[in-house]
Each structure stands twice: as structure tokens, then as C-alpha cells.
Amino acid sequence: MLMALALLAAGACSPSDDTAGDATTSTSEATTEATTEAAVDPADARPWLDPTLDTEARVELLLSEMTLEEKFGQMTLVELGSIDVDDIAPLGIGGLLSGGDGVPSQYDPSAPNEPAAWRAMVAEFQAEAASSRLGIPLLYGIDAVHGHGLAEGAVVFPHNIGLGAAADPDLVRRIAVATADEMRATGIRWNFAPTLAVVQDTRWGRTYESYGQDPDLTARLGAAFVEGLQSETAGGTVLATAKHFVGDGGVEFGTSLVPGYLLDQGDTRVSEDELRRVHLPPFVSAIDEGARVVMASFSRVDGQFAHGSRALLTDLLKVELGFDGFVVSDWAGVDQLTADYAQAVSAAISAGVDMNMVPSRYAEYLDALADGVELGRIDESRVDDATQRILRVKFEAGLFDRPVVDGAGAFGTDEHRALGREAVARSATLLTNRDVLPLDPSTTVAIAGPGADDPGMQAGGWTQSWQGRRGHLVGATSIIDGITEVTGQQPVHLVEPDDWNEIGTIAVGIVVVGEDPYAEGVGDVDRPVLSEADREVISRMRSIADSVVVVVLAGRPLVMNDVLDSADAVIMAWLPGTEGGGLADVVFGVSPFTATLPVAWPASVDQLPIGPESPNDVVRFPIGHGVTTE
Ligand code: BGC
Ligand code: BGC
């Protein structure tokens, strides 16, 4: 089926010969109707397809043709592993998504993780949508939050926290352009990024999804991402999603409702003034820059779930900020509102959620919508408004004019790798340097530590899977490979106990330590400290090397005063992604260190959380710290 439908990739959304051909062999009611439609001139039957009409006119023409059930369908976003492909047309499903583990094999076990297979899969879904009564194209969304991390061979860029350290909107814009390109190569036009959380407590597992503690920097970088991602190219527009609305960066430690989580999906207990001053500005900028989708936050604001808050989603976002795109819920976020699912659906839709990332129980959701309207819990005008918003964004993104992208889009190219490498060098933050860096490329170097040869650790969560994993990544350069490339000589890699015994003494030892990959609340921690095992490798290196350079791969600052005091240089590399060469570039002076901390670095775990206003003398390093070698 995948193969056959790839043929449709070139087709438009109007009823095509292929669709009619399919329909004649189908017994389903919806497709029979599509056949009938195909007999008449599509321009007459579907006047909204006329691209010369303005968007609002097209939306109205289409909306006036829709049944209530078709509107419900548009308000539905289903996850790849849960969709029955035969439901797409009859239910008029509005969108599908890849969750954190949503690679093509989740849908078709034999599908490889290759751009062509992604493209064929999305084209197949789009063809199903085209065969529905009205042929409304669907949106396919994915979390390409640091490059197209789920797609094998994609260039994975530094996570946002590293880009916050680089603090360069133009760099972020270029990364977003490259990300959009790689997405288009896989046929995907909707990105659940950027995250605009302004992190306040770095014990939060999503710290690395944030550009940092400063609302203004977050606003500038977030807007640059939106601009780059949505820039027009021959391949069509990719949509950004500003998330998570609003206040997720302010969740208070210990308030999560998810067992095992500490902060994520917790409560942001701030005054309205603080919410507006700290957490709202990035959304204002992103919307100004043209963000057309906003994702609601799992978190609560002062005890009130964002997903059920009319004050936040409607009064603030839609009315006050004038946002006329659509609000998507987060993954089953609606379900959390009350134990009674039907009531939760009514509450969320009435509050202002337009499209529900169900993600799996869509039959139940569609029933709940129908009941909600029938019982008067959901106003029909709210359903029209939600549908209008979704259609508006689909028209604007060119989805009706070109529902399937043709694969034009560079993927894993040298150019993108060079950009990734530049971003790695620009984000590497030099915390201390006792006259050791940059190293002369002819220096004899030994290297050790869990991150020395581990692209998976460099990339962190949202890479190949939701939680990410240690190990090899297709097309990636590990730090050791980067060093070999830059210096022309392979550093001695100390792995086994014998390696250490045999080496004697050495001029410089590099130790790469840090955190294992994680995502979301799984990464919430009580005590963000450098592990005992990592400290041991560092002290072992100290015993054989004249100088020790420590490189930290982590999504947040780790308390490590002893290491900061004793190492000759410490580099916070954040989660740099696949291009380890960028790290070698700064270590060996090919590029200067220019980055500065986007979050304060704690002197002890007891002082967390340290807000941007914490006095500089209590923290180990204040926000803005970074040794530059320019
Ligand atoms: C996350 C979102 C993400 C969504 C889809 C949720 O768990 O909170 O950031 O976009 O999953 O993968
Ligand atoms: C999905 C993620 C989602 C998470 C939420 C995972 O299985 O892959 O996208 O964010 O569940 O619990």
C-alpha cells in the first residue's frame, strides 16, 4: 500500500483519477460519494479550492458545506500508532502526529526509517484525506525540536538551552530553515516547536527545551525560530507551534500530578503580573512573527489546568493577543481535566482548545464532542470557531493547494552538518579556563568519560525516540571523531582499566561527562549534580595528565564545585547534537568561545531554584557568565 500511494505524491487534493479509481473498488459510503463528486468539475463542486479567493472566503465556503461530524473530525489529532487508516476518510480526521516514538515502523513494521518511507506514509494518509467527502487535507505533525530528531540520518542541532547560550537569533533562524528543509524531505509540514518555556527551576527535566531564564532572550530566539521554520520555499510552508501555553517554565518543585515526576506537569504558582512579565512575552513575539498554532500546557497556573482555562486560552490568547490561528492540546492533556472523559472534552473545547491531540481514543472523543453539543455543554458556535481556525491555518499553509510535498528538501546534507557544527561551537560555554584552552592541535591528548564517543548522549532526548538513548547515531560525529578530524591525530581513548595503566603520563586529558538522555518529567531531578562515577574518571585523569579539560554534556547546570575548582578548564557543551566536530573546533582554537550562560549555575542544590534575580554572589556563576577567547 505504501508503494502504490507514493504515486499520489504528485497529485493535488482535488478528486483525482487515482482517488476515483480507488473509490470504485471500495464499498465505503464516504468514498462512493467522492466518486460522485469526481464526476463533476471540481472547481464548481469545491469552490474553496480556487486559490485566487482570499483565505476567509475559502474558509467560509468550505465551512458552509460541512456537517457537524465533519467539523468534529477536523478537531481531532490522532497519533500514528493508534490510527486505523480506514477511519481517516469516513471520520474526516483533521490531523495525525508522530509522538516521541512515532517512526514509520510504528505504522508499518516493515517501513525503514528513511525519508522516502516517511514521505510515502504521509502521502498515503493525505490520499485517504483526499478521498473523504470534502477532501480536506490533513496536517501531519512531529516534534522536530532540535532538528528532525526522529528521522534517521537527520542533522541534530543543539537543544534550545545551548542555543540560548549562543544567543544569536540569526543562528536560530538558519537552524529552523534547515529543520524545515529536513522535515519537507520526509513530507512533514507541521512542527511542534519552538518551546517557549522560560525555565525558572533547572531541576525541571525540560530545562533543555527552554532557551533559558530570560524572557526577552527567549522571545527573540523563539520568534527567530518561527520566522525561519515558516519561511516560504519552493517546497511549501512548514508550520511552527508555540508551546506550551502558558507558564510551563514556572512549574513549582513537588507539584507534578504525574507519579514519579517532580516538576513537569506541575503548578505554576505566580501572580498574574509575573505570568505576564516572565512567561507571556515569548508568545507575544512568536504570534507577531506569524506562529499559527499554539499548544496548551500540561501544567496548571495557580491550580487551574491550562487545558481547561478559558481565561488563558480564550480571554488572554485569542481575545487579548488577537490570536486567530488554532490551539492544539498536548498529548492527552484534555483527559486530565476531570475523571469523566466526556466532561473533560466539553470543558477543554469550551475553554478554547480547537484541536485535541487525543492521541489514541478518538472514537470516544468524537462521541464526547457529539454528546457535548447535544447536551448543550459545548456551544455549536464554538465548534464552528474551532473548525474555522483550523481550516484558516490549513489554507494559509498552502495545504489545499499542495497537500503533499514532493520531497524537495535537503536532508542530512553537508551544508546542514556545517551549520550544526557552527551551532555546537557557538553554544559551547567555557566556564573556567586556567590558561589551557585553546589547545595546540599538535598536543598529545588522551580522552575518557562516558560521552567521549557517544552521539546519543550528545543529542539527548527527542532523538530517535522520545527519551533518546546512548550510542551510535547514523551520520553523527562523536567528540572523539571530531578531535581526530581537527587535529589529524586520534586521541588515545581510555576505556578499559588496562588502558589507564599502560598510558603513563600525558600532556592533556579530556574527560567528557554528564547526563544520560531523558525527556520531560522523566528528567526531573531532586539533586542535579555531577555523578560520582563521572568525578572518578576526572580524578583518574588528573593523576596521569598535566592538564585536565572537562566537557559536560547535560541539559542543565550540574553542581560540581570540586571539578570547577580543580580542572584546568571546564566546558558546558549542553546537548550539542550530532556534530561533535564543533566541540573540537573550540577546544583546538579553530573557533573562539563566545557563549554565555542562559541560566544561572548553582553553587549547591539547596539553593535551587535560583531565579534570574538571585544575587550573583550566592550562585556559582550568574546568568551571562562565560569565558570568551575571541
Ligand atoms: C509533549 C509535547 C509534545 C507532544 C507530542 C507531549 O508529551 O509535552 O511537547 O509536542 O508530547 O509528542
Ligand atoms: C510519546 C510522547 C509523549 C509521551 C507522553 C510518549 O509515549 O511518544 O510523544 O509526549 O508519551 O506521555
Side-chain angles (χ1 to χ4, degrees), residues 526-579:
D526 190 7
R527 301 175 58 79
V529 297
L530 194 69
S531 74
E532 216 30 67
D534 282 349
R535 280 165 212 272
E536 265 167 40
V537 195
I538 294 167
S539 48
R540 195 147 196 199
M541 189 62 98
R542 171 140 295 287
S543 70
I544 59 159
D546 296 337
S547 304
V548 174
V549 175
V550 175
V551 177
V552 182
L553 299 173
R556 60 184 142 219
L558 300 175
V559 173
M560 43 187 270
N561 293 316
D562 49 343
V563 172
L564 289 165
D565 290 339
S566 66
D568 297 281
V570 178
I571 302 164
M572 179 51 163
W574 310 103
L575 296 170
T578 48
E579 306 314 306

Side-chain angles (χ1 to χ4, degrees), residues 97 99 143 192 206 243-244 295 298 330-331 357 462 520:
L97 82 141
D143 295 271
F192 302 133
R206 298 182 91 129
K243 73 184 188 184
H244 308 82
M295 189 185 291
F298 278 137
D330 202 344
W331 183 277
M357 190 189 294
W462 298 105
E520 302 185 34

